[in-house]
Each structure stands twice: as structure tokens, then as C-alpha cells.
Amino acid sequence: MRHLAALLAALIVLPLAAQAEAPDVLIEEQARMSWAEALPAEANLRVRFKGALIDEAETISAFWMDRDSGQFLANAVTAEGVTHRLQGFIIATRSLPVPTRRLMPGDLIGGADIKTVEMPLSRVGAFTVVDEEKLEGMQVRRMLAQGRPVMTQSVMQPLVVGRGDKVNILYDDGRLVVTAPGRALSDAHRGQEIRIVNLVSNTPLVAVAREAGLVEVIR
């Protein structure tokens, strides 16, 4: 009984063995902690080692990284207690849509015109379109180069009414619905205000473009 108690006491004080991991996994953990809130949650990290590399390590005992260049130095400790100096680069990337071909002003962007690629985070700015759904169906305002990030100011909602187009004018206050023929005096995207003229009364009006050939007067 005395021997059993001594054995249990010994088991209690023995530390649990750390789980061995591939070095890139441990380095990525350290890098994310170093970048902290400066690293977007959607960012992916790729670790590239330079020089000697080990298969597994239990912990990183020291870590240094230059956030601007991604260069790092780390001390990795193996299960045998041996410390190895690792060095290399960490590349932060993000998935974003880019054109599959050159698109010119006025082109409508279809599903086949965009693809998702991994782009270095340094090339993703505050005005970069990062959601594919926000590109498909849009109209090109400025030329888009193949394979390059798209800026929000380079695309726009497609024109649904062009200057000089005949339109159907709709007025609906919930109780009365009135329609009349009209003509557009300016271009408009969906949801944009547009100047029109009522062809029946020859009265100029301001309406909202709803869809191709349809504008709504709101009062």
C-alpha cells in the first residue's frame, strides 16, 4: 500500500509530455501572436525555412520576427531537449478575386471573368475588393488587368437606364399606382437618382432607377 501511494505521488508531479509538432505549425502560432490584431482573421500564413530544418519540435523557446519583411528567427526545442536555431520568412496572404482576362470600361463582369487566388497581404489595400460576390454582375469603370487585385473605385453598379432611353414612370404610394411614359435625361445605375421628363405632361421629374426601362417617382 505504501509503495502504491508513493507511485501515485510520483505520477502527480510528473509533467505531461508536450505534443510534438511540425516546426511550421509552431512558427505560425508564434507569428499570429506576434502580429495579433494587425493580422486579419482571414489571412493565411506560409512559412518558408532557410537553412537547416528539423522534422518535429515540442516548443519554441525564443522567437523574433520582423513584421514588415516577415523574416524570423526561432529556437525550437526537440523532445530530447536539444535546441535548434530556425530561420526563414513568413508570408501572409489572403484569398481574393482577380480578373481572368483584361476587362475594359463598360464591360459587365461575369462568373467566368473572375477567379480566386492567394495574394500577399501587402498587396491587399483598404479599397481592394476581397469578396467575389461584390464583383460578379458589376460594370467596369476603369480597365482591370488580368490577375491583379480590383479596387472598389474601378467597378460600379451596371447602368440600367441610359440618357435618351424611353422609360416607364411608376408612382406607388401604397394606395394608388400610376404609370406614364417618359424619357431619361441622364444615365443611372440601379438605385440611383435620375432626371426624366414625363412625355404626357412634358414635366421634368427626378426618379430612382429600379431596373432596365423602369424608374420610380418617390415623394
Coordinates of all heavy atoms in Angstrom, one line a residue, residues 14-22 26 29 56-61 76-81:
L14 N 4.8 14.4 -12.1 CA 5.5 14.3 -13.4 C 4.8 15.2 -14.4 O 3.5 15.1 -14.5 CB 5.5 12.8 -13.9 CG 6.5 11.9 -13.2 CD1 6.3 10.5 -13.7 CD2 7.9 12.4 -13.5
P15 N 5.4 16.0 -15.1 CA 4.8 16.9 -16.1 C 4.3 16.0 -17.3 O 5.0 15.1 -17.7 CB 5.9 17.9 -16.5 CG 7.1 17.2 -16.2 CD 6.9 16.3 -15.1
L16 N 3.2 16.5 -17.9 CA 2.8 15.8 -19.1 C 3.7 16.1 -20.3 O 4.1 17.3 -20.4 CB 1.3 16.2 -19.5 CG 0.3 15.8 -18.5 CD1 -1.1 16.4 -18.9 CD2 0.2 14.3 -18.4
A17 N 4.0 15.2 -21.1 CA 4.8 15.4 -22.3 C 4.2 16.3 -23.3 O 3.0 16.2 -23.5 CB 5.2 14.1 -22.9
A18 N 4.9 17.3 -23.8 CA 4.3 18.2 -24.8 C 4.1 17.4 -26.1 O 4.8 16.4 -26.4 CB 5.3 19.3 -25.0
Q19 N 3.1 17.8 -26.9 CA 2.8 17.2 -28.2 C 3.8 17.7 -29.2 O 3.9 18.9 -29.5 CB 1.4 17.5 -28.6 CG 0.9 16.9 -29.9 CD 0.9 15.4 -29.8 OE1 0.4 14.8 -28.8 NE2 1.3 14.7 -30.8
A20 N 4.5 16.8 -29.9 CA 5.5 17.2 -30.9 C 4.7 17.7 -32.1 O 3.7 17.1 -32.5 CB 6.4 16.1 -31.2
E21 N 5.2 18.8 -32.8 CA 4.5 19.3 -33.9 C 5.6 19.6 -35.0 O 6.8 19.7 -34.7 CB 3.8 20.6 -33.6 CG 2.6 20.5 -32.7 CD 1.3 20.0 -33.5 OE1 1.4 19.7 -34.7 OE2 0.3 20.0 -32.8
A22 N 5.1 19.7 -36.2 CA 6.0 20.2 -37.3 C 6.4 21.6 -37.0 O 5.6 22.4 -36.5 CB 5.3 20.1 -38.7
L26 N 4.3 25.4 -35.3 CA 4.7 26.1 -34.1 C 5.1 27.6 -34.5 O 4.8 28.5 -33.8 CB 5.9 25.4 -33.4 CG 5.6 24.0 -32.8 CD1 6.8 23.4 -32.2 CD2 4.4 24.1 -31.8
E29 N 2.0 29.7 -35.1 CA 1.4 30.1 -33.9 C 2.1 31.3 -33.3 O 1.4 32.3 -32.9 CB 1.4 28.9 -32.9 CG 0.5 27.7 -33.3 CD 0.6 26.6 -32.3 OE1 1.5 26.7 -31.4 OE2 -0.1 25.6 -32.4
E56 N 10.4 17.6 -36.2 CA 9.5 17.9 -35.2 C 10.1 18.7 -34.0 O 11.3 18.7 -33.8 CB 8.9 16.6 -34.6 CG 7.9 15.9 -35.5 CD 7.3 14.7 -34.8 OE1 7.9 14.2 -33.9 OE2 6.2 14.3 -35.3
A57 N 9.3 19.4 -33.3 CA 9.7 20.1 -32.1 C 8.6 20.2 -31.1 O 7.4 20.0 -31.5 CB 10.2 21.5 -32.5
E58 N 8.9 20.3 -29.9 CA 7.9 20.3 -28.8 C 7.5 21.7 -28.4 O 6.4 22.0 -28.0 CB 8.4 19.5 -27.6 CG 8.4 18.0 -27.8 CD 8.5 17.3 -26.5 OE1 8.8 17.9 -25.5 OE2 8.2 16.1 -26.5
T59 N 8.4 22.7 -28.6 CA 8.1 24.0 -28.2 C 9.1 25.0 -28.9 O 10.2 24.6 -29.3 CB 8.2 24.2 -26.7 OG1 7.8 25.5 -26.3 CG2 9.6 24.0 -26.2
I60 N 8.7 26.3 -28.9 CA 9.6 27.3 -29.4 C 10.0 28.1 -28.1 O 9.1 28.7 -27.5 CB 8.8 28.3 -30.4 CG1 8.4 27.4 -31.6 CG2 9.7 29.4 -30.8 CD1 9.5 26.9 -32.4
S61 N 11.2 28.1 -27.8 CA 11.7 28.8 -26.6 C 12.0 30.2 -26.8 O 12.0 31.0 -25.8 CB 12.9 28.0 -26.0 OG 14.0 28.1 -27.0
A76 N 13.9 26.2 -31.6 CA 13.0 25.1 -31.5 C 13.6 24.0 -30.6 O 14.7 23.6 -30.8 CB 12.6 24.6 -32.8
V77 N 12.8 23.6 -29.6 CA 13.3 22.5 -28.7 C 12.7 21.2 -29.0 O 11.5 21.1 -29.1 CB 13.0 22.9 -27.2 CG1 13.6 21.9 -26.3 CG2 13.6 24.3 -26.9
T78 N 13.5 20.2 -29.2 CA 13.0 18.8 -29.6 C 12.7 18.1 -28.3 O 12.9 18.5 -27.2 CB 14.0 18.1 -30.4 OG1 15.2 17.8 -29.5 CG2 14.5 18.8 -31.6
A79 N 12.1 16.9 -28.5 CA 11.7 16.0 -27.3 C 13.0 15.6 -26.5 O 12.9 15.3 -25.3 CB 11.0 14.8 -27.8
E80 N 14.1 15.6 -27.2 CA 15.4 15.3 -26.5 C 16.0 16.4 -25.7 O 17.0 16.3 -25.1 CB 16.4 14.7 -27.4 CG 16.0 13.4 -28.1 CD 15.0 13.6 -29.2 OE1 14.9 14.7 -29.7 OE2 14.3 12.6 -29.6
G81 N 15.3 17.6 -25.8 CA 15.8 18.8 -25.1 C 16.9 19.5 -25.9 O 17.5 20.4 -25.3

